[in-house]
Amino acid sequence: MSLEADILKSLNDRFRFKKTKGDWLQEGICPDCKKPELFCSAKDPKIVRCGRQERCGWEDSVRNLFPDLFENWSKRFPATDANPNAAADAYLSHERGFDLQHLRGAYTQETYAEGNQSAATVRFPIGPTYWERIIDRPGRFGKKAHFQRGGKPGGHCWMPPRRSIEDYAQADSIWICEGIFNAIALDQGAGLLAVSAMSCNYWPEHFLDQVKEALRTLKRATRPELVFAFDPGGAGVKWARKFVDRAHVEGWQATAAQVRPDGEGTTLDWNDLLLRHQQWKDDPEFAPLGPAKIEEYLWNGAVTIAKTPREKAKLIYERTKLASFDFRHGNRLWWCRVTYDEDQTRNLLVDEIANCAFRMLYRERDEVADETNYFLQVDFPDQPTVKARFTAAACSNSAEFKKRMMAFAGMWSGTGDQLDRLIRNQTRKLKVVEPIPFTGYSAPHRAWLFGDFAVREGRVERINTENYFDFGKQAVKLRSPEKLLDIHYDADQIKFDWVDDIWTAFGPKGLITLSFFVMSFFAVQIRERNKSLGFLELTGPPGSGKSTLIEFCWKLAGRAGYEGFDPNKGTTAFIARSFLKVSNLPVGLMESGRDEEKRSGNRQFDPNELLILYGGRSPRGLGQKSGGYETTEPPFLGSIYLMQNERIDAHPAVLERLMSMAIDKSRWSETTRDAAIRLEQWPIEDVSGTIVHVVRSEAKFLPFFFDRFTHHDREMPKRVPGLVNSRPIKTHSQLAAAVEALPRLFPTIRPEWTAETLQMVDAMALDRQNSCGGDHPLVSRFWEQVDYLLDRERTDDHASGKSLNQHRDPNLIAIRLVDYEARCRNAGLQPPEMDKLRKLLRGSKSRKFVATKPVNNPVEHVVHCWVFDNPQKPENIL
Ligand SMILES: [Zn+2]
C-alpha cells in the first residue's frame, strides 16, 4: 500500500470518519470531546482537527498520531538508479510538507552510520560544509541531525535554491531562521525571503557580507530589515535579543518574530505551521502563515525584544487597548494601568508585582481525594527556574500566594485583584493532569505508566518536559516520585536469548513462572473478562532455585534484586500499600521465619485473607484498620504469587485458587547450574525492556489468550481423568492459555517445550483439586506415615496390643504420639516437628479428631492416646 493509503486507513480506523465532502474527510470522532466533528484533508492528510475550534480545539499532526508510518523512509521508498533520493524526497514531501519543485538540487540522500547502526539521511550543503538529518528511525542515534564532523557552518546561511543573493538584497526584509526546514516553510508557505543561519547562536556574517556586496552592485542605498525568527523557547528568545542589538550596531534595521510572545506557551515552529497552513479551511487571511498571522508574529517578536517594561506596556496597549493588564519583562511580572489627565493625555502607569515570573503548567486534580493543586513554573531574573506545586488555596488568596512564593525566594507584591486576573487568564484551557497512585496499568487511560514512559495502544509515549503523560484531553502522572521500575527499552535491540537458559535451568516450571508474569502484565484486562486471576504458589527448600527464577522474572519488568515481601514483617498499612502500589504487576508474598511472629508483635498474616484479592476487591479490607474516614476502597489491580518452603494451609476456598508447583533440584546438573548462574548474572538493562515488548503486543495477545482460555476451560476436564472442580480448571486454563501465547511473544520457544509445559499444567490442575479440601500438609504427611507403619505390622500385632493403633473399635484409631515418633525413627522415617503437629492434629479432616484421652487397649492396658475417627474408606489424602 502507498503511504497515503496507509495513512487514510489508519485515520479511518482510529477516528471513524463518516463522510467525505469535497477534499475533506468529515465527522470523525474527536478523541478529546468525543463529538463527531473531526475533519482532515482527504488528499495527503497532514493535520487532523476538531471542528469545535472554541470549545474543544483539539488538533494533532498525522506524523504524531501514527509515528510508525513515518519511521523508516528508505524501507518504504527504496532508492533506485532512476531516483537515488527516493527516501529523502518522500521524507521532505510527506513529513515536512515541502514542494520538491522548489528544492531540486539543494539536497542529496546519504547514509549515516554509528556503531553497527546505519540510516539514510537528507543532506544539505551549507557554506564549505554540510548538515544532514537522519530519516530512518532517528531515535536509535544520539542526535537526529548533525553537521559534517569538524565542519564550520557558522556565519553562512542556507538559501532556498530558487532564491539568489540579489533577491535578498532587493527585499524589504530578510527572515533569518534557525533551521533549514523552517526557512523552507516560510519561503514556501508565506512567500517570505527566508534563510537559515543553521543555529540561533551563529551570527550570519558571511551571508550579510554577500548581501552588502549585492546591494553595492545593485546600487541600492537602503538595506533590508533583518527579522530574527528563531524557534520558541529560551535560547531562541535570548539570541534574537542579542542579534537585534548587534544588527543595530552594524547598521541594519532589525526586529524579531515569534509564534507566541516571549517564545512561550507553544512548541510549534514555522514548519509545523506550514503543515497547518496547507490544510487550512477558513479565511486564508488568518491561515497560520497568512498575512494577518505574519503581522501578529512580528508583533510578538517586538514585544519579546522590548527593552524596558514601559516599552513593552506601550506595545501591548496599542494592540489590545486594555485599561489594565499584566505582562512579564526580564522574568519579572509587571502591571500596567492606563490613566488620563484632565487634558486627556494618556499615561501608562507600570509597576512591578513580582520579582519573578510564573506560568501555570497544569492543574493536578485528584477526584478520589478531592484535591486540586496547580503546577507553576517560576522564572527568575538571576536564579534557576523552579517548578512547584501550589495548592488551590494558595492560588486563590494573595497572602497565601505570597507565602508560598517566598519558599522559592520569590516575592509577590501584587493585590488580590491582580492575582485573580493572572490566575483567571492562566487557568483558561489549562491542562488537567490526574495523579495515578500506582505504577503500571491505568484502565481509564488504557495505558501502562512506567515512570519515564508509558505504553498506550501498542505505542511507547515519553513523559513530557513538564513531567506528565499527555494523552490528548487526558493527562496523567505518577503521584509518587518513587521509581519502582527501571526499564531500558529499545525495540531494535531487544533480544530474548535468556529464554533458552530459563528452559535449561527450570524446564516447564520456568515457562510456567514466565507465563504467570506475562498474565500479570494484563491482570486488569484478564480480571475484567474472567472475573478472577489465579495465584501462583512456588514451594521448595532454600537453595532450590525459586529465588533465582522469581528474581529473573522481575528483571524482565525492570525491578532489580526483588523477590517479594514478608507479610508477617509489615504493618497492616504497609501490606495494604504493597498491594495497592502496583497495577498489572505481580505482588509477591514470601515466608521468612514464620515462627518469629511473637517477637515482632505484628498480627500474623492469614492467607485466607487472600481470598478477597482473587476477584480484585480492595485489599483495604485486609487490614481491619482503615482510619474510618476513607470513603473509597481502591481495588486490587495486580496478581499474587506466594513463595515458601512448604505449601500453605488455608481454607479450601483459598487453596482452590492456587496454582502450585514445587521447585526442586530434580533437573539439576552442571548444565542447569550454569544456566541458572547466567540468569542470576544477566544485566538488568539488557532484559528490562521485555515488559514493554509484552504489553505493546496487547492487541494481539489478549484475543489469543481469551480464545485459548475458553478452549482449555472446556477441554481440560475432558482430557484430564478425574478433574471436575471448576475452580482449579479455570485458573489452570488461564495458565495454559498464557503458556500457549509465549511463542508469539518469544519466538525462540520451541513447540516441544510448550507441549511439555501444558502437560505439567494439566497435572497441576488435578493435584490442586485433590489437595484442596484435604489436610494440612503436615497432617497428611502424618497420616501417610501412620498408614505406612500400620501396613508393615504383622496381622496379630493389633490383638496383642503391639500395634500403633491402640483402639479396639475399628471405627476409631488411637495413637500415642511418642510411640509414633519412635516407630518412625525405627522405620527410617523423618517425623514432623512434634510441637507443630500437636497443634495441627486437632484440625485433622481425613480422620476426624475426637479427643486425647485414656484408652483401654486390646490387652486391657489403659494408655493415654490421641483418638480419631477411622472411616473405613478414608477420604482422599494429599
Ligand atoms: Zn473536539
Side-chain angles (χ1 to χ4, degrees):
M1 256 202 296
S2 76
L3 177 62
E4 193 177 342
D6 275 348
I7 291 173
L8 287 170
K9 180 173 184 309
S10 303
L11 283 169
N12 272 312
D13 286 352
R14 172 99 51 105
F15 302 115
R16 320 220 158 272
F17 289 99
K18 276 214 207 78
K19 61 181 189 191
T20 310
K21 194 174 164 196
D23 291 339
W24 301 92
L25 294 179
Q26 292 184 325
E27 298 187 10
I29 304 294
C30 172
D32 234 6
C33 65
K34 313 289 179 207
K35 297 273 188 315
E37 305 232 10
L38 223 54
F39 67 91
C40 72
S41 169
K43 207 175 149 290
D44 199 13
K46 296 216 165 59
I47 302 290
V48 189
R49 45 175 13 139
C50 178
R52 307 170 76 219
Q53 284 290 328
E54 283 306 305
R55 316 200 45 201
C56 172
W58 182 88
E59 66 166 39
D60 207 346
S61 67
V62 169
R63 168 74 182 78
N64 261 343
L65 290 166
F66 309 107
D68 295 353
L69 299 180
F70 296 81
E71 274 285 86
N72 203 331
W73 291 98
S74 39
K75 197 165 153 197
R76 196 180 271 275
F77 297 93
T80 58
D81 287 343
N83 186 5
N85 294 341
D89 287 356
Y91 172 81
L92 292 172
S93 67
H94 292 295
E95 179 154 345
R96 296 287 171 177
F98 298 148
D99 183 347
L100 298 183
Q101 259 187 18
H102 303 306
L103 285 178
R104 294 270 178 231
Y107 62 91
T108 51
Q109 182 176 328
E110 307 288 339
T111 303
Y112 173 73
E114 193 179 290
N116 53 3
Q117 309 258 24
S118 72
T121 68
V122 48
R123 181 185 291 179
F124 294 85
I126 165 78
T129 177
Y130 64 77
W131 173 85
E132 61 184 356
R133 171 68 157 80
I134 296 170
I135 60 175
D136 294 334
R137 289 178 292 151
R140 295 174 290 166
F141 301 93
K143 285 161 74 182
K144 287 180 183 173
H146 49 258
F147 294 104
Q148 181 181 21
R149 190 186 284 267
K152 290 200 163 48
H156 296 279
C157 283
W158 182 89
M159 295 186 282
R162 65 165 162 165
R163 309 287 188 192
S164 68
I165 194 72
E166 286 74 25
D167 293 335
Y168 290 95
Q170 284 165 325
D172 292 334
S173 58
I174 300 173
W175 287 53
I176 301 173
C177 309
E178 286 190 37
I180 288 178
F181 297 145
N182 284 322
I184 300 172
L186 289 178
D187 175 80
Q188 296 193 354
L192 295 169
L193 272 291
V195 295
S196 154
M198 303 312 297
S199 165
C200 63
N201 55 12
Y202 289 140
W203 174 253
E205 51 186 326
H206 305 311
F207 170 74
L208 294 178
D209 285 348
Q210 283 176 294
V211 173
K212 282 189 276 184
E213 180 68 43
L215 287 169
R216 275 192 291 277
T217 316
L218 291 165
K219 300 191 166 31
R220 179 177 170 184
T222 56
R223 289 182 180 184
E225 183 181 39
L226 305 182
V227 180
F228 291 92
F230 292 162
D231 292 350
V237 165
K238 178 179 135 193
W239 286 97
R241 286 190 186 123
K242 284 193 181 186
F243 284 174
V244 168
D245 287 350
R246 179 161 176 185
H248 288 150
V249 171
E250 298 196 5
W252 299 88
Q253 294 215 35
T255 185
Q258 278 285 330
V259 178
R260 304 269 302 141
D262 300 309
E264 283 221 314
T266 185
T267 53
L268 299 183
D269 62 18
W270 307 120
N271 195 172
D272 296 321
L273 293 180
L274 174 71
L275 298 177
R276 283 156 180 75
H277 182 79
Q278 289 168 337
Q279 313 217 309
W280 185 252
K281 235 171 98 170
D282 305 322
D283 187 350
E285 174 79 7
F286 296 97
L289 292 179
K293 282 294 187 176
I294 293 293
E295 197 201 320
E296 181 184 322
Y297 304 145
L298 284 166
W299 180 79
N300 293 342
V303 165
T304 304
I305 60 170
K307 282 268 185 280
T308 63
R310 178 162 298 281
E311 191 183 319
K312 191 159 182 171
K314 192 161 166 281
L315 281 166
I316 295 173
Y317 175 75
E318 281 165 2
R319 195 174 172 94
T320 64
K321 302 288 186 236
L322 289 168
S324 63
F325 54 89
D326 65 276
F327 63 96
R328 57 192 287 162
H329 184 267
N331 281 349
R332 294 165 193 265
L333 286 179
W334 305 81
W335 191 264
C336 177
R337 196 158 54 86
V338 185
T339 61
Y340 293 90
D341 293 344
E342 282 147 18
D343 58 354
Q344 296 300 305
T345 319
R346 196 176 59 227
N347 297 306
L348 299 182
L349 304 176
V350 176
D351 290 313
E352 184 184 302
I353 52 173
N355 72 345
C356 53
F358 65 85
R359 182 162 61 86
M360 285 193 167
L361 299 176
Y362 57 89
R363 176 160 66 97
E364 189 186 272
R365 173 68 191 155
D366 187 337
E367 291 294 341
V368 175
D370 189 17
E371 246 178 46
T372 301
N373 286 293
Y374 292 88
F375 265 76
L376 271 66
Q377 173 172 322
V378 188
D379 299 312
F380 295 90
D382 46 11
Q383 69 186 58
T385 293
V386 295
K387 289 179 184 175
R389 187 188 258 124
F390 281 58
T391 61
C395 291
S396 53
N397 177 309
S398 185
E400 289 294 313
F401 190 78
K402 181 171 186 166
K403 254 189 245 167
R404 179 64 180 150
M405 201 53 108
M406 280 304 276
F408 312 102
M411 174 66 108
W412 165 257
S413 45
T415 66
D417 284 349
Q418 288 169 337
L419 181 66
D420 288 351
R421 278 271 286 277
L422 273 149
I423 300 283
R424 196 186 323 139
N425 288 338
Q426 295 202 11
T427 48
R428 195 177 299 143
K429 283 197 172 174
L430 193 65
K431 200 94 190 170
V432 180
V433 179
E434 188 183 334
I436 302 293
F438 49 75
T439 297
Y441 185 72
S442 172
H445 308 101
R446 302 187 314 283
W448 282 263
L449 310 176
F450 294 133
D452 298 343
F453 62 90
V455 177
R456 191 166 183 252
E457 288 168 349
R459 287 179 298 156
V460 175
E461 310 215 14
R462 302 267 152 203
I463 203 160
N464 67 13
T465 50
E466 286 161 7
N467 265 320
Y468 63 85
F469 296 105
D470 196 340
F471 302 143
K473 186 167 210 160
Q474 296 174 319
V476 292
K477 62 185 284 191
L478 292 179
R479 180 194 283 156
S480 162
E482 179 193 17
K483 200 176 171 192
L484 204 62
L485 310 178
D486 188 11
I487 295 172
H488 299 256
Y489 174 71
D490 180 343
D492 297 310
Q493 302 281 325
I494 196 152
K495 286 203 210 92
F496 310 114
D497 36 1
W498 46 266
V499 168
D500 266 359
D501 281 336
I502 290 243
W503 179 260
T504 308
F506 298 101
K509 291 169 183 173
L511 291 196
I512 284 172
T513 310
L514 181 59
S515 305
F516 177 78
F517 267 72
V518 166
M519 275 200 291
S520 304
F521 300 158
F522 298 101
V524 170
Q525 291 97 320
I526 293 176
R527 215 179 261 121
E528 190 192 337
R529 186 86 171 250
N530 289 174
K531 307 297 168 219
S532 63
L533 181 59
F535 305 143
L536 181 69
E537 184 187 48
L538 289 160
T539 58
S544 53
K546 60 185 194 301
S547 300
T548 304
L549 179 56
I550 284 290
E551 281 191 21
F552 183 80
C553 286
W554 269 114
K555 276 195 219 173
L556 301 177
R559 199 168 190 181
Y562 183 77
E563 280 182 83
F565 69 96
D566 184 346
N568 288 322
K569 291 201 168 147
T571 61
T572 310
F574 169 82
I575 295 170
R577 257 204 314 279
S578 303
F579 284 121
L580 288 172
K581 74 183 200 179
V582 295
S583 169
N584 276 5
L585 284 171
V587 174
L589 304 180
M590 50 193 258
E591 160 195 73
S592 53
R594 268 192 183 186
D595 294 319
E596 293 160 22
E597 74 241 41
K598 279 164 202 103
R599 264 192 309 146
S600 73
N602 284 325
R603 191 180 66 103
Q604 190 72 347
F605 181 76
D606 180 355
N608 291 320
E609 294 175 347
L610 292 176
L611 201 53
I612 64 162
L613 301 180
Y614 176 69
R617 276 164 51 210
S618 181
R620 280 279 159 77
L622 283 183
Q624 58 284 69
K625 204 179 99 191
S626 68
Y629 48 77
E630 267 148 318
T631 52
T632 55
E633 298 249 309
F636 176 57
L637 303 170
S639 70
I640 300 266
Y641 66 86
L642 308 159
M643 201 159 63
Q644 322 75 216
N645 296 349
E646 312 251 1
R647 286 186 173 192
I648 60 157
D649 181 37
H651 291 318
V654 174
L655 298 178
E656 276 179 355
R657 288 156 169 86
L658 292 181
M659 303 173 283
S660 286
M661 60 182 187
I663 304 279
D664 52 37
K665 294 193 169 178
S666 55
R667 294 171 61 91
W668 223 232
S669 71
E670 277 297 299
T671 328
T672 59
R673 202 182 65 101
D674 291 348
I677 289 174
R678 276 196 298 277
L679 291 176
E680 275 169 13
Q681 293 174 347
W682 215 291
I684 186 165
E685 314 77 87
D686 292 358
V687 297
S688 58
T690 308
I691 186 170
V692 179
H693 168 76
V694 171
V695 303
R696 282 190 73 186
S697 69
E698 178 187 16
K700 286 179 193 142
F701 175 88
L702 286 176
F704 180 81
F705 174 85
F706 288 124
D707 182 54
R708 294 314 291 168
F709 166 74
T710 310
H711 165 84
H712 287 295
D713 198 40
R714 193 178 58 228
E715 296 299 320
M716 197 179 275
K718 293 185 195 162
R719 68 176 182 246
V720 183
L723 183 61
V724 290
N725 184 333
S726 62
R727 194 92 63 189
I729 292 169
K730 185 175 186 185
T731 52
H732 290 81
S733 293
Q734 288 177 328
L735 190 55
V739 168
E740 281 190 309
L742 286 186
R744 300 174 153 242
L745 299 167
F746 312 113
T748 53
I749 289 182
R750 297 203 209 127
E752 60 270 27
W753 299 357
T754 40
E756 196 182 331
T757 308
L758 286 174
Q759 278 181 4
M760 175 152 189
V761 173
D762 284 355
M764 283 165 66
L766 186 63
D767 171 66
R768 182 37 59 189
Q769 168 185 292
N770 293 347
S771 57
C772 56
D775 274 324
H776 185 279
L778 275 189
V779 174
S780 68
R781 193 154 113 218
F782 169 79
W783 287 120
E784 256 173 48
Q785 292 176 334
V786 167
D787 286 335
Y788 177 75
L789 294 169
L790 289 173
D791 281 350
R792 282 166 30 119
E793 290 176 8
R794 287 198 305 234
T795 40
D796 56 348
D797 276 356
H798 186 255
S800 56
K802 290 179 187 162
S803 170
L804 175 62
N805 177 9
Q806 294 284 304
H807 218 288
R808 297 172 176 214
D809 183 349
N811 289 316
L812 291 170
I813 182 167
I815 292 169
R816 285 176 295 172
L817 288 185
V818 184
D819 186 24
Y820 152 77
E821 196 181 4
R823 285 175 191 241
C824 278
R825 296 205 191 282
N826 280 338
L829 298 176
Q830 174 72 41
E833 234 181 276
M834 295 310 282
D835 286 349
K836 250 188 192 171
L837 185 63
R838 277 196 187 86
K839 266 191 244 168
L840 294 167
L841 267 184
R842 289 170 198 277
S844 174
K845 288 170 199 146
S846 55
R847 287 165 165 125
K848 203 164 175 297
F849 173 73
V850 178
T852 55
K853 61 177 182 188
V855 167
N856 197 4
N857 85 351
V859 288
E860 307 282 351
H861 285 167
V862 173
V863 283
H864 198 83
C865 286
W866 286 65
V867 182
F868 304 88
D869 279 338
N870 192 23
Q872 292 311 298
K873 279 183 193 157
E875 281 168 35
N876 216 333
I877 298 169
L878 176 64

mmCIF file of all heavy atoms in Angstrom, residues 30 32-33 50 52 56 58, ligand 1:
data_model
loop_
_atom_site.group_PDB
_atom_site.id
_atom_site.type_symbol
_atom_site.label_atom_id
_atom_site.label_comp_id
_atom_site.label_asym_id
_atom_site.label_seq_id
_atom_site.Cartn_x
_atom_site.Cartn_y
_atom_site.Cartn_z
ATOM 1 N N CYS A 30 -13.895 12.982 17.732
ATOM 2 C CA CYS A 30 -12.804 13.724 18.374
ATOM 3 C C CYS A 30 -12.343 12.965 19.623
ATOM 4 O O CYS A 30 -13.161 12.625 20.470
ATOM 5 C CB CYS A 30 -13.269 15.127 18.746
ATOM 6 S SG CYS A 30 -12.062 16.022 19.749
ATOM 7 N N ASP A 32 -10.883 14.067 22.065
ATOM 8 C CA ASP A 32 -10.961 14.933 23.225
ATOM 9 C C ASP A 32 -12.396 15.112 23.686
ATOM 10 O O ASP A 32 -12.774 14.720 24.778
ATOM 11 C CB ASP A 32 -10.377 16.299 22.857
ATOM 12 C CG ASP A 32 -9.300 16.700 23.822
ATOM 13 O OD1 ASP A 32 -8.968 15.869 24.667
ATOM 14 O OD2 ASP A 32 -8.805 17.828 23.733
ATOM 15 N N CYS A 33 -13.243 15.680 22.817
ATOM 16 C CA CYS A 33 -14.606 15.996 23.247
ATOM 17 C C CYS A 33 -15.584 14.899 22.835
ATOM 18 O O CYS A 33 -16.758 14.979 23.196
ATOM 19 C CB CYS A 33 -15.041 17.344 22.704
ATOM 20 S SG CYS A 33 -15.172 17.413 20.911
ATOM 21 N N CYS A 50 -10.351 19.208 15.366
ATOM 22 C CA CYS A 50 -11.734 19.182 15.791
ATOM 23 C C CYS A 50 -12.403 20.450 15.302
ATOM 24 O O CYS A 50 -11.846 21.537 15.422
ATOM 25 C CB CYS A 50 -11.815 19.100 17.305
ATOM 26 S SG CYS A 50 -13.495 19.128 17.945
ATOM 27 N N ARG A 52 -14.826 21.979 16.527
ATOM 28 C CA ARG A 52 -15.288 22.861 17.600
ATOM 29 C C ARG A 52 -14.120 23.705 18.097
ATOM 30 O O ARG A 52 -13.627 23.528 19.212
ATOM 31 C CB ARG A 52 -15.894 22.039 18.728
ATOM 32 C CG ARG A 52 -16.965 21.089 18.245
ATOM 33 C CD ARG A 52 -17.374 20.123 19.329
ATOM 34 N NE ARG A 52 -18.225 20.763 20.320
ATOM 35 C CZ ARG A 52 -18.149 20.539 21.619
ATOM 36 N NH1 ARG A 52 -17.232 19.720 22.093
ATOM 37 N NH2 ARG A 52 -18.977 21.119 22.459
ATOM 38 N N CYS A 56 -13.393 23.128 21.950
ATOM 39 C CA CYS A 56 -12.504 21.975 22.133
ATOM 40 C C CYS A 56 -11.109 22.309 21.623
ATOM 41 O O CYS A 56 -10.155 22.390 22.377
ATOM 42 C CB CYS A 56 -13.078 20.764 21.402
ATOM 43 S SG CYS A 56 -11.959 19.363 21.370
ATOM 44 N N TRP A 58 -9.099 20.627 19.718
ATOM 45 C CA TRP A 58 -8.114 19.557 19.590
ATOM 46 C C TRP A 58 -7.550 19.515 18.178
ATOM 47 O O TRP A 58 -8.278 19.688 17.204
ATOM 48 C CB TRP A 58 -8.770 18.209 19.924
ATOM 49 C CG TRP A 58 -7.795 17.057 19.862
ATOM 50 C CD1 TRP A 58 -7.009 16.611 20.868
ATOM 51 C CD2 TRP A 58 -7.508 16.217 18.732
ATOM 52 N NE1 TRP A 58 -6.240 15.554 20.442
ATOM 53 C CE2 TRP A 58 -6.519 15.292 19.135
ATOM 54 C CE3 TRP A 58 -7.968 16.179 17.415
ATOM 55 C CZ2 TRP A 58 -6.012 14.323 18.281
ATOM 56 C CZ3 TRP A 58 -7.452 15.217 16.555
ATOM 57 C CH2 TRP A 58 -6.482 14.297 16.988
HETATM 58 ZN ZN ZN B 1 -13.175 18.050 19.974
#
